Amino acid sequence: DIQMTQSPSSLSASVGDRVTITCQASQDISNFLNWYQKKPGKAPKLLIYDASDLETGVPSRFSGSGSGTDFTFTISSLQPEDFATYYCQQYANLPYTFGQGTNLDIK
Amino acid sequence: EVQLVESGGGLVQPGGSLRLSCAASGFTVRRHYMSWVRQAPGKGLEWVSVIYSGGSTYYADSVKDRLTISRDNSNNTVYLEMNSLRPEDTAVYYCARGGTIIPGGFDIWGQGTMVTVSS
């Protein structure tokens, strides 16, 4: 199975900050990498697909980059509604696997 | 409106069974990769199973031979038959829509249904 390692596991930041989360795959997954936002009691929300493509309706402050084994997710200017847990997920090989999540909270 | 609505969760004893349903509207499930994803209390997201548009099915090792994904094209619904349930299967179960040609991202999710396995 492909292991997805996210870093950091938790992060404290302030409104207006630039935030970056990394995700490393245990083997080459090309660009078959998605990013999700998860809030308590809500379903996950797709933000970025295929490593760098912004899902329709998602604000442009969210972005993604990378290919192969190393990926980055960035929020350019944190808004109050962005405090949540973020997950990367690969679909290059079955079983699809998620990173362990990055909990982003208010400093 | 494109949406997924899950049902069928509840409390079940270890070794018991449940069937989860995921009713789709606004799109046709047989044209998409359809998955189940779960989140145990206090834990992260875990992919469980997928059914391809062609009908092939795949499972996480943790649920293989106990959970079965299926699809009813006439009702536009995806199911997850759960047998030999264990306490570690306790989670919120979400169904999620993938792509049509490739799995892609899960762009549409249901609201989730809670499964609790406990005596």
Side-chain angles (χ1 to χ4, degrees), chain B:
Chain B
E1 182 187 3
V2 175
Q3 65 175 357
L4 294 166
V5 178
E6 298 108 336
S7 60
L11 174 64
V12 61
Q13 292 188 337
S17 299
L18 276 178
R19 188 177 81 156
L20 307 184
S21 300
C22 172
S25 56
F27 74 98
T28 304
V29 294
R30 65 177 170 82
R31 295 179 181 163
H32 288 262
Y33 292 77
M34 297 295 299
S35 280
W36 287 92
V37 175
R38 68 185 180 184
Q39 185 174 36
K43 302 295 185 181
L45 298 173
E46 179 188 18
W47 174 81
V48 172
S49 180
V50 64
I51 183 165
Y52 285 5
S53 53
S56 299
T57 59
Y58 299 92
Y59 302 90
D61 285 345
S62 59
V63 305
K64 203 171 293 183
D65 299 326
R66 300 187 300 115
L67 274 57
T68 303
I69 191 170
S70 62
R71 185 177 69 204
D72 183 338
N73 295 336
S74 62
N75 287 325
N76 209 30
T77 299
V78 177
Y79 300 97
L80 188 67
E81 188 77 36
M82 310 173 75
N83 297 311
S84 302
L85 282 164
R86 304 167 180 169
E88 56 264 36
D89 295 317
T90 295
V92 176
Y93 285 75
Y94 298 97
C95 63
R97 185 181 82 167
T100 53
I101 298 172
I102 61 172
F106 301 140
D107 65 342
I108 303 294
W109 294 71
Q111 82 286 0
T113 187
M114 183 71 205
V115 172
T116 303
V117 184
S118 175
S119 54

